[in-house]
Amino acid sequence: DVKVTQSSRYLVKRTGEKVFLECVQDMDHENMFWYRQDPGLGLRLIYFSYDVKMKEKGDIPEGYSVSREKKERFSLILESASTNQTSMYLCASSLGQGIKKLFFGSGTQLSVL
Amino acid sequence: DQQVKQNSPSLSVQEGRISILNCDYTNSMFDYFLWYRKYPAEGPTFLISISSIKDKNEDGRFTVFLNKSAKHLSLHIVPSQPGDSAVYFCAAYDYNNNDMRFGAGTRLTVKP
């Protein structure tokens, strides 16, 4: 089974702090994604990556950046955290062409105070 | 602009009965549809999918129906079990534009 691991289950940060969310997958998947989940809004795509050192903006990239230095690792960075970035963050990976079936991590609940 | 809508935030069903979760979409370019299930403290997991060339796909107790003309799909769970209590997300995928959209989710509660 594919395992997607997110480094923290819960995180509390202060406004203005730089925040790193880490994600690692163990199945050699080419594609990796960062979503945020908010009540009533479903899952919204922040950034995705098709290959090492490649990144593409999703629907809501403002205030975020990403890094993919190794195939198995995809990091989400909040350069200066704000309260409206309080959310559940979900990392996902998938194999090959097209998105289709995603494998998700357990999520990181981030609270920005 | 939500292209995939799950209009029922919650659904409560008695154990043994049928659960029907609905999903509507607006973009006719979507050609592949998926359902994910999310338990508390876990990430969503893939449940079942359907291609736009089909109108039904079945996997055990789970059946997904697609009505392309109405831009509507539904997930049927028969019989429902308490372990099915979770949030269910509908997702739609446009292969040509490599675009996946999720609905807001429906929380299903199956009462013993």
Side-chain angles (χ1 to χ4, degrees):
Chain A
D1 276 354
V2 176
K3 192 165 172 110
V4 180
T5 303
Q6 294 185 229
S7 54
S8 303
R9 181 77 186 104
Y10 297 97
L11 215 49
V12 180
K13 296 292 181 181
R14 295 207 175 274
T15 302
E17 278 193 77
K18 190 168 186 176
V19 181
F20 293 87
L21 302 183
E22 305 287 345
C23 176
V24 177
Q25 49 95 4
D26 67 358
M27 283 301 289
D28 203 35
H29 282 177
E30 291 87 354
N31 312 309
M32 295 190 75
F33 309 83
W34 276 106
Y35 285 88
R36 62 178 280 177
Q37 180 196 351
D38 299 289
L41 296 177
L43 278 67
R44 292 181 294 165
L45 182 62
I46 304 171
Y47 267 97
F48 59 102
S49 168
Y50 291 135
D51 202 349
V52 176
K53 297 194 185 296
M54 291 185 66
K55 59 185 178 183
E56 298 281 346
K57 291 180 180 179
D59 296 320
I60 51 166
E62 296 79 18
Y64 303 94
S65 62
V66 290
S67 172
R68 195 166 180 201
E69 295 296 318
K70 293 184 178 182
K71 190 175 185 180
E72 68 270 19
R73 187 179 296 270
F74 193 35
S75 303
L76 180 69
I77 303 152
L78 286 66
E79 295 291 342
S80 177
S82 62
T83 54
N84 63 12
Q85 292 178 310
T86 292
S87 186
M88 168 66 75
Y89 289 87
L90 291 161
C91 175
S93 70
S94 72
L95 182 66
Q97 294 274 343
I99 300 177
K100 291 192 177 180
K101 183 176 173 181
L102 300 177
F103 294 85
F104 284 90
S106 298
T108 296
Q109 179 62 51
L110 172 67
S111 296
V112 183
L113 306 178
Chain B
D1 175 28
Q2 286 196 293
Q3 299 182 41
V4 178
K5 292 183 180 178
Q6 294 177 255
N7 291 319
S8 298
S10 63
L11 176 67
S12 182
V13 171
Q14 207 65 36
E15 181 179 6
R17 304 296 292 268
I18 184 171
S19 295
I20 300 176
L21 294 95
N22 293 304
C23 178
D24 296 294
Y25 61 95
T26 57
N27 188 348
S28 58
M29 295 295 291
F30 291 137
D31 47 16
Y32 197 81
F33 303 89
L34 309 93
W35 284 94
Y36 287 84
R37 178 175 62 193
K38 185 181 186 302
Y39 290 116
E42 296 181 13
T45 55
F46 170 77
L47 193 58
I48 192 170
S49 63
I50 187 167
S51 165
S52 59
I53 62 173
K54 293 186 173 183
D55 55 17
K56 177 183 175 181
N57 188 28
E58 196 170 351
D59 183 3
R61 296 185 298 112
F62 302 91
T63 303
V64 56
F65 294 92
L66 176 63
N67 183 333
K68 282 186 65 178
S69 60
K71 295 190 178 67
H72 176 83
L73 66 155
S74 59
L75 174 68
H76 292 212
I77 307 173
V78 184
S80 302
Q81 300 173 354
D84 296 329
S85 297
V87 177
Y88 291 78
F89 290 99
C90 167
Y93 179 62
D94 171 0
Y95 184 84
N96 284 332
N97 293 302
N98 197 22
D99 184 25
M100 172 98 91
R101 300 285 167 169
F102 284 85
T106 296
R107 181 177 301 278
L108 173 66
T109 303
V110 180
K111 297 180 178 178

